Amino acid sequence: MMLNGKMVIGWQRVRGEGGDFYAYAPDGTVLEELSFGGALSTDLENAAVLAAGAFDAYRQMDAERRAEFLEVIGEEIMALGDALLERAQRETGLPRSRLVGERLRTANQLRLFARLLREGRNEAAVLDSPLPDRQPPRSDLRQRRVPLGPVAVFGASNFPLAFSVAGGDTASALAAGCPVIVKAHNAHPGTSEMVAVAVQRAAARTKMPEGVFSLLFAHDFTIGGELVQHPVIQAVGFTGSRQGGTALLHLAQARPQPVPLYAEMSSINPVFLLPMALRARASDIAEGVAASLTTGSGQFCTAPGLVIAIDSVALEQFTKAMASILPTISMGDMLTQNIRRSWYAGIGRLEAHAGVVPIVGVRDAGDGDGVRGVFYRTDAETFLSDPALEEENFGASALLVVCRDEEEMRRVAEYVSGQLTATLHLEPDDYELARRLMPVLERKAGRILVNDYPTGVEVCDAMVHGGPWPSTSDSRTTSVGSEAIFRFLRPVCYQNLPEELLPKCLQRENPRHVWRLQDGVPSC
Amino acid sequence: MMLNGKMVIGWQRVRGEGGDFYAYAPDGTVLEELSFGGALSTDLENAAVLAAGAFDAYRQMDAERRAEFLEVIGEEIMALGDALLERAQRETGLPRSRLVGERLRTANQLRLFARLLREGRNEAAVLDSPLPDRQPPRSDLRQRRVPLGPVAVFGASNFPLAFSVAGGDTASALAAGCPVIVKAHNAHPGTSEMVAVAVQRAAARTKMPEGVFSLLFAHDFTIGGELVQHPVIQAVGFTGSRQGGTALLHLAQARPQPVPLYAEMSSINPVFLLPMALRARASDIAEGVAASLTTGSGQFCTAPGLVIAIDSVALEQFTKAMASILPTISMGDMLTQNIRRSWYAGIGRLEAHAGVVPIVGVRDAGDGDGVRGVFYRTDAETFLSDPALEEENFGASALLVVCRDEEEMRRVAEYVSGQLTATLHLEPDDYELARRLMPVLERKAGRILVNDYPTGVEVCDAMVHGGPWPSTSDSRTTSVGSEAIFRFLRPVCYQNLPEELLPKCLQRENPRHVWRLQDGVPSC
């Protein structure tokens, strides 16, 4: 398809008149003459009115039809073919193989939610039978989930497909029955336009109501703020920086009607190397950490930015291995010049820190054919006394915190802020220490890994891509996996309704055969 | 037991030095010489430190032990015997029979959550098997819920037992594994003290860690604000006015780490009288509405404050019936002089409104032996043009909105703010109209009733006592019923953990036989 820099508003393609901007390559060069037109408030208003108008029809549609819509979105994205991969590659610098994988993940994610709809799990149906002979009698009570309303989604810079226009937030919101208005990330406007057109095509093919999906471009932060504050919007999904997430969160909270904002923000994903594991396989772990750290040029929310270990001979083996492996891993460009600058600035602060020494420093990191991961070292005392050392440096930068003993390791675990993940490397002889760390880590992280690496977030039922503040704005949820749909649903109880007025999933005969909690027992 | 005006902080009884206050009878007279001592910040700090210290031990306890604790709280409350009922009656003016019922409900609620813990439903366990042969391989992924942390609970004025010190918020938070700090409602400090001592006794009897529960008195709003903002507190439960709930919500949001605040605030609980139902049983419905409106002197969150009907002969029958029934229902005192004053002020505004006429007006409402319910009438056009007519007037005051036709009825439904409940009275010939109203009401209310009355909130799995803003601060939840526990839980994913380190509910053999979602299928 030919890009034209226009937005998707319902069935229309609209040129935004709110200020032009361009697509850039990661090296900062402008990709082409084509400009993208940022939305005016009137464009947002049009998208919002359409979304509100589409809501009831869309949410009341048979599950099968919504499921089909999701699957056809996946088909239409695949049908964009190599052109989508090439565009995404030009805009993000991510390697083609990674983008192929990300596209598959995006389609699989849509299919997961389609399956969920067919199974009726989104309804979370509950039935309590009447107790007419009890005093006072109990009415017939049934519960299901209904969607919140139109949802705003902010695309992420680092996953141009899986966390962007038709990514996890959009897929789960559409699955929930919520129309979606996406604010495209300016780091990949062309990719966004292509995917938005695919969604628009899917909506038309499956005869969805107009306005079930719109895409807005924004020249600056104004439209994003207006989107969060628009009265039609009932929830917001965001993946990005803590600064951006916090700013939008405040807007969502300051509305006359506050709405939930799900911001997935920053995480340094501590990796604890327990003594026996280090002794048994220091080099293997170094290889794993280095690979995880440099995946996607370190631009993963779950990149391992903090390694915690107890001083030992084995730890020196580990650092030596890191020092030899890390410089051999050639990473691609970073996503944008801003991200690259910010990463180097963070490294500069580490280099200048009196209590921090390089294992793989900045002199080893930069070269002609791309950047390399960096790895620094400090001791627990220094780490515990300087909050700046705990700040995320988005990119392949990790800090080793060396502890004197197990108790100091536990103190570091207790000290760190909320995280998306926490990882333990251990052997059976480490279980005792692990048992002391586990309760702390359960308070700190949304996902706990053992002898594994935090990058690579599986899309499945058990996944949690979330965690306590400040890793996200709402620790009760996940932005990846089937649970993500419940961010956009709320329970409604039906008391004493005749069968004729009940939604199918709550009718006595259970015509859709959905799983339900019936008088306290799961049944089908 | 002898009251002494002291707070409960862990195992201690502490006299607050932050300003004394007294217990009042509903008529405004001071009950006794005994004063209650409001907390100083140091008291809050002590309670918070104890709660934080108790958290890990408490949450990791066997489900059976936490369940036992909840049940013993119920036993200890029952063991307070008549003295508790008498005290509550003196402080609230609620009739003894109502308090007996409320006490039973409180104990039943604790038992419901105990059962939930034994069944392991709070864990919401999910298991996804590893896929070692897939490319890339999938790790073993399992999910359960863990508690958020210490919870602050603000007791409600109108349910001195069931929504207060050991009410639904406290029961669900304790069940979730969260220590609780209660801010007593000043309308029933003696009742609060008695119940708090019962909880303290139960904690000691069942060997809970110190600090799992504390009760604070507060002389003014300061301590409540500090409680919401205390870094140890990870969630807040509140039942009360919109003004109070909104103020606390802003404090919870403004924290460096925002925390969820569940405020159940205001609702006028619209009741739609559909034409055929009115024609078939106008008098019966009037009897039901009048009874529901005056229950607990109208001081129920779910009191039917708004009745919507289409102009008709049958509607005149209904209003005549209301006019004859309502003045015959003698209500008890209102809870406090403030509430009574505020109720009369609301009535005064209705009486003074040019577009509102009394069906049962204020002259019929007040008399020597208690107050009577009031009922006013306006037309839809007036109602739709004046937001003040939609404001909750806490107490037995209802407004009839007369619509010209079905479309105007639908417009009123679309116009009202978020509600705890919406009720339809209908006959089979009304189904068509009901089907047009249902999608609107699903967007507006947490519970939809047919041919029933909104007061009387069943404690069960399917209940939703919640709803869109401004009826609550978080429409995704309920404060009554088993779902309430999930307000205080968050998911954690365990990736590739050895069986030895997994919580019991996630171990392969499922030793506790909890219901789990295993590879997408519910199983036990």
Side-chain angles (χ1 to χ4, degrees), chain A residues 56 59 128 134 139 144 262 439 442-443 445-448 452 458 461-462 476 490 493-496, chain B residues 56 59 128 134 139 144 262 439 442-443 445-448 450 452 458 462 476 490 493-496:
Chain A
D56 272 349
R59 75 184 179 91
D128 285 324
R134 198 197 61 178
S139 295
R144 68 154 176 168
Y262 304 104
E442 282 180 334
R443 276 191 272 109
R447 181 162 54 111
I448 297 171
D452 212 334
E458 187 70 35
D461 292 328
R476 297 164 296 174
R490 43 173 273 264
C493 174
Y494 300 82
Q495 182 167 336
N496 200 31
Chain B
D56 272 349
R59 76 185 178 90
D128 285 324
R134 198 196 62 177
S139 296
R144 68 154 176 169
Y262 305 104
E442 282 180 333
R443 276 191 272 108
R447 181 161 55 111
I448 297 171
V450 165
D452 211 335
E458 186 70 34
R476 296 163 296 173
R490 42 174 273 266
C493 174
Y494 300 82
Q495 182 168 335
N496 200 30

Side-chain angles (χ1 to χ4, degrees), chain A residues 54-61 66 69 174-175 177-179 208-209 212:
Chain A
F55 180 44
D56 272 349
Y58 180 61
R59 75 184 179 91
Q60 291 181 91
M61 221 166 250
R66 284 217 309 265
F69 174 39
L174 287 178
C178 301
M208 292 295 125
V212 71

Side-chain angles (χ1 to χ4, degrees), chain A residues 55-56 59-60 119 121 126-128 134 137-139 141-146 148 249-250 253 256-258 260 262 426 431 434-435 438-440 442-453 458 460-464 468-469 474-477 483 487 489-498 500-501 515 517 519-522, chain B residues 55-56 59-60 119 121 126-128 134 137-139 141-146 148 249-250 253 256-258 260 262 426 431 434-435 438-440 442-453 458 460-464 468-469 474-477 483 487 489-498 500-501 515 517 519-522:
Chain A
F55 180 44
D56 272 349
R59 75 184 179 91
Q60 291 181 91
E119 295 172 353
R121 276 168 52 197
V126 181
L127 286 81
D128 285 324
R134 198 197 61 178
R138 182 169 87 177
S139 295
L141 291 152
R142 311 184 192 199
Q143 188 195 107
R144 68 154 176 168
R145 308 271 154 159
V146 300
L148 292 178
L249 179 62
H250 290 154
Q253 292 172 335
Q257 175 218 4
Y262 304 104
L426 49 76
Y431 284 178
R435 283 200 187 91
M438 281 290 292
V440 184
E442 282 180 334
R443 276 191 272 109
K444 296 290 176 174
R447 181 162 54 111
I448 297 171
L449 303 89
V450 165
N451 297 341
D452 212 334
Y453 300 93
E458 187 70 35
C460 63
D461 292 328
M463 180 47 60
V464 177
W469 180 272
D474 190 337
S475 71
R476 297 164 296 174
T477 63
E483 272 288 318
R487 297 178 297 168
L489 295 167
R490 43 173 273 264
V492 171
C493 174
Y494 300 82
Q495 182 167 336
N496 200 31
L497 258 70
E500 292 89 336
L501 295 180
W515 281 99
L517 189 70
D519 294 311
V521 180
Chain B
F55 180 43
D56 272 349
R59 76 185 178 90
Q60 290 182 90
E119 295 171 351
R121 276 168 52 197
V126 182
L127 286 80
D128 285 324
R134 198 196 62 177
R138 182 170 87 178
S139 296
L141 291 153
R142 311 185 191 200
Q143 188 195 106
R144 68 154 176 169
R145 308 271 153 159
V146 300
L148 292 178
L249 178 63
H250 289 155
Q253 292 171 336
Q257 173 218 5
Y262 305 104
L426 48 75
Y431 285 178
R435 284 201 186 90
M438 281 291 290
V440 184
E442 282 180 333
R443 276 191 272 108
K444 297 289 178 175
R447 181 161 55 111
I448 297 171
L449 303 89
V450 165
N451 297 341
D452 211 335
Y453 300 93
E458 186 70 34
C460 62
D461 292 328
M463 180 47 61
V464 177
W469 179 273
D474 191 338
S475 71
R476 296 163 296 173
T477 64
E483 272 288 318
R487 297 178 298 168
L489 295 167
R490 42 174 273 266
V492 171
C493 174
Y494 300 82
Q495 182 168 335
N496 200 30
L497 258 69
E500 292 89 335
L501 295 179
W515 281 100
L517 189 70
D519 294 310
V521 180

Side-chain angles (χ1 to χ4, degrees), chain A residues 164-241:
Chain A
S164 196
V165 176
D169 284 342
T170 299
S172 54
L174 287 178
C178 301
V180 169
I181 302 177
V182 174
K183 204 292 275 174
H185 198 288
N186 289 14
H188 48 262
T191 308
S192 298
E193 184 183 329
M194 291 176 83
V195 174
V197 170
V199 180
Q200 191 187 42
R201 282 179 188 153
R205 259 180 69 188
T206 56
K207 301 199 168 31
M208 292 295 125
E210 180 172 19
V212 71
F213 174 85
S214 289
L215 172 86
L216 300 178
F217 289 129
H219 173 255
D220 59 20
F221 294 136
T222 317
I223 282 293
E226 287 179 17
L227 178 59
V228 168
Q229 294 194 293
H230 197 286
V232 154
I233 295 298
Q234 294 301 301
V236 183
F238 170 90
T239 304
S241 69

Side-chain angles (χ1 to χ4, degrees), chain B residues 182-233:
Chain B
V182 174
K183 205 290 276 175
H185 198 288
N186 289 15
H188 48 262
T191 308
S192 298
E193 184 183 329
M194 291 176 83
V195 174
V197 169
V199 180
Q200 192 186 42
R201 281 178 187 153
R205 259 180 68 188
T206 56
K207 302 197 167 35
M208 292 294 126
E210 180 172 18
V212 71
F213 174 84
S214 289
L215 172 85
L216 300 178
F217 288 129
H219 173 255
D220 59 20
F221 294 137
T222 317
I223 283 291
E226 288 179 16
L227 178 59
V228 169
Q229 295 195 291
H230 197 286
V232 155
I233 295 299

Side-chain angles (χ1 to χ4, degrees), chain B residues 271-273 278 307-311 315 400-404 409:
Chain B
V271 176
F272 295 84
L273 310 181
L278 255 189
V307 179
I308 301 120
I310 298 167
D311 207 4
L315 178 60
L400 171 68
V401 176
V402 181
C403 306
R404 276 192 309 268
M409 178 177 264

